[in-house]
Amino acid sequence: HIVAFSVGYFIFDTIDMFRSDMFKNSLGMLIHHIVVPICFTMALIYDMYTPILAFTLVVEVNSVGFHLRIILNALANNSRTVQRARLSVFVFTLLTWILRVTIHPYVTWYVIENRAKFFAFYHFVMALLGM
């Protein structure tokens, strides 16, 4: 189940970001990495909201590009590898921008439009904060 797998990934990513001081300049990223695993875990426990949460994970495709860039930079021993790394960064940056500009506004609209369907008001608030 993709939502369950993502909880583990977010926890690991959060720990890694703490270890490398990546949260030092980004309070928004810290909040996101705390709220998302909580929301996903609640959804799994109560068996609610998982379809929309799975849909929101499409924007996380940028993580592939981010990690690929780090790996290629570490392995860069010739100009061809560096060119591939730059191309992959460009492709994933473009894809990330397109996905975030289309999916995030849609999901935000969907959450607001369907706020009455949330089991509890704090579920609605957590959904908005997680975005």
Side-chain angles (χ1 to χ4, degrees):
H1 199 266
I2 191 72
V3 175
F5 178 81
S6 297
V7 170
Y9 173 80
F10 266 100
I11 291 169
F12 173 81
D13 201 35
T14 303
I15 292 167
D16 185 54
M17 291 177 89
F18 268 118
R19 289 177 53 195
S20 60
D21 284 335
M22 293 184 79
F23 290 130
K24 192 166 35 174
N25 298 321
S26 181
L27 181 61
M29 186 66 77
L30 175 61
I31 292 169
H32 172 75
H33 274 75
I34 291 172
V35 170
V36 168
I38 292 170
C39 291
F40 281 27
T41 302
M42 286 174 35
L44 291 167
I45 289 170
Y46 295 110
D47 195 25
M48 302 169 82
Y49 317 122
T50 52
I52 193 69
L53 291 175
F55 182 67
T56 63
L57 288 171
V58 172
V59 299
E60 294 299 329
V61 76
N62 70 310
S63 295
V64 174
F66 175 73
H67 295 296
L68 180 63
R69 182 191 68 184
I70 291 170
I71 291 168
L72 288 175
N73 284 337
L75 297 175
N77 56 3
N78 62 46
S79 62
R80 188 169 176 88
T81 304
V82 171
Q83 288 173 343
R84 287 181 186 154
R86 286 184 182 145
L87 177 62
S88 71
V89 168
F90 172 76
V91 168
F92 279 102
T93 301
L94 182 64
L95 188 58
T96 298
W97 186 83
I98 291 168
L99 291 173
R100 290 196 185 266
V101 167
T102 57
I103 292 176
H104 271 228
Y106 171 75
V107 171
T108 302
W109 169 85
Y110 181 86
V111 165
I112 292 169
E113 191 70 19
N114 291 286
R115 66 187 168 274
K117 294 180 182 176
F118 281 88
F119 180 71
F121 180 73
Y122 75 92
H123 290 184
F124 166 71
V125 172
M126 293 293 280
L128 283 180
L129 287 174
M131 290 303 296

Short mmCIF file of all heavy atoms in Angstrom, two decimals, residues 64-76 81 85:
data_model
loop_
_atom_site.label_atom_id
_atom_site.label_comp_id
_atom_site.label_asym_id
_atom_site.label_seq_id
_atom_site.Cartn_x
_atom_site.Cartn_y
_atom_site.Cartn_z
N VAL A 64 12.62 11.53 -6.43
CA VAL A 64 13.45 10.67 -7.27
C VAL A 64 14.54 11.51 -7.92
O VAL A 64 15.72 11.14 -7.91
CB VAL A 64 12.60 9.96 -8.35
CG1 VAL A 64 13.48 9.18 -9.30
CG2 VAL A 64 11.56 9.07 -7.70
N GLY A 65 14.17 12.63 -8.48
CA GLY A 65 15.15 13.51 -9.13
C GLY A 65 16.15 14.08 -8.16
O GLY A 65 17.35 14.17 -8.46
N PHE A 66 15.69 14.44 -6.98
CA PHE A 66 16.57 14.98 -5.96
C PHE A 66 17.63 13.96 -5.56
O PHE A 66 18.83 14.26 -5.53
CB PHE A 66 15.74 15.42 -4.75
CG PHE A 66 16.58 15.89 -3.59
CD1 PHE A 66 17.23 17.11 -3.65
CD2 PHE A 66 16.70 15.11 -2.46
CE1 PHE A 66 18.01 17.54 -2.59
CE2 PHE A 66 17.48 15.53 -1.39
CZ PHE A 66 18.13 16.76 -1.46
N HIS A 67 17.20 12.74 -5.28
CA HIS A 67 18.14 11.71 -4.86
C HIS A 67 19.03 11.26 -6.03
O HIS A 67 20.21 10.97 -5.82
CB HIS A 67 17.41 10.52 -4.25
CG HIS A 67 16.70 10.89 -2.97
ND1 HIS A 67 17.37 11.30 -1.84
CD2 HIS A 67 15.39 10.93 -2.64
CE1 HIS A 67 16.51 11.57 -0.89
NE2 HIS A 67 15.29 11.35 -1.35
N LEU A 68 18.48 11.22 -7.23
CA LEU A 68 19.27 10.87 -8.40
C LEU A 68 20.39 11.88 -8.62
O LEU A 68 21.52 11.51 -8.92
CB LEU A 68 18.37 10.79 -9.65
CG LEU A 68 19.06 10.44 -10.95
CD1 LEU A 68 19.66 9.04 -10.87
CD2 LEU A 68 18.05 10.51 -12.10
N ARG A 69 20.09 13.15 -8.44
CA ARG A 69 21.09 14.20 -8.59
C ARG A 69 22.23 14.00 -7.59
O ARG A 69 23.40 14.11 -7.92
CB ARG A 69 20.47 15.57 -8.41
CG ARG A 69 21.47 16.70 -8.61
CD ARG A 69 20.90 18.00 -8.18
NE ARG A 69 20.75 17.92 -6.72
CZ ARG A 69 20.21 18.85 -5.98
NH1 ARG A 69 19.72 19.92 -6.52
NH2 ARG A 69 20.13 18.72 -4.67
N ILE A 70 21.88 13.70 -6.34
CA ILE A 70 22.90 13.49 -5.30
C ILE A 70 23.78 12.30 -5.66
O ILE A 70 25.01 12.37 -5.56
CB ILE A 70 22.23 13.29 -3.93
CG1 ILE A 70 21.60 14.60 -3.46
CG2 ILE A 70 23.24 12.79 -2.90
CD1 ILE A 70 20.71 14.45 -2.24
N ILE A 71 23.16 11.21 -6.10
CA ILE A 71 23.92 10.01 -6.45
C ILE A 71 24.83 10.27 -7.65
O ILE A 71 26.01 9.91 -7.64
CB ILE A 71 22.97 8.82 -6.72
CG1 ILE A 71 22.31 8.38 -5.42
CG2 ILE A 71 23.72 7.65 -7.37
CD1 ILE A 71 21.15 7.43 -5.62
N LEU A 72 24.29 10.89 -8.69
CA LEU A 72 25.10 11.16 -9.88
C LEU A 72 26.24 12.13 -9.59
O LEU A 72 27.34 11.98 -10.12
CB LEU A 72 24.22 11.69 -11.01
CG LEU A 72 23.31 10.66 -11.67
CD1 LEU A 72 22.39 11.32 -12.69
CD2 LEU A 72 24.12 9.56 -12.33
N ASN A 73 25.99 13.11 -8.74
CA ASN A 73 27.07 14.03 -8.37
C ASN A 73 28.17 13.31 -7.60
O ASN A 73 29.35 13.59 -7.77
CB ASN A 73 26.54 15.21 -7.56
CG ASN A 73 25.84 16.23 -8.43
OD1 ASN A 73 26.07 16.30 -9.63
ND2 ASN A 73 24.97 17.02 -7.83
N ALA A 74 27.78 12.36 -6.75
CA ALA A 74 28.77 11.60 -5.99
C ALA A 74 29.59 10.69 -6.91
O ALA A 74 30.76 10.43 -6.66
CB ALA A 74 28.08 10.78 -4.92
N LEU A 75 28.94 10.20 -7.97
CA LEU A 75 29.62 9.29 -8.89
C LEU A 75 30.29 9.99 -10.06
O LEU A 75 30.95 9.34 -10.87
CB LEU A 75 28.62 8.27 -9.44
CG LEU A 75 27.97 7.33 -8.42
CD1 LEU A 75 26.91 6.47 -9.09
CD2 LEU A 75 29.02 6.46 -7.75
N ALA A 76 30.11 11.30 -10.15
CA ALA A 76 30.61 12.05 -11.30
C ALA A 76 32.14 11.94 -11.40
O ALA A 76 32.86 12.47 -10.58
CB ALA A 76 30.19 13.51 -11.21
N THR A 81 28.86 11.92 -17.30
CA THR A 81 28.04 11.68 -16.12
C THR A 81 27.49 13.00 -15.58
O THR A 81 26.33 13.08 -15.19
CB THR A 81 28.85 10.97 -15.02
OG1 THR A 81 29.39 9.76 -15.56
CG2 THR A 81 28.00 10.65 -13.82
N ALA A 85 23.61 14.09 -15.16
CA ALA A 85 23.10 14.60 -13.88
C ALA A 85 22.36 15.92 -14.10
O ALA A 85 21.27 16.12 -13.57
CB ALA A 85 24.24 14.79 -12.88
#
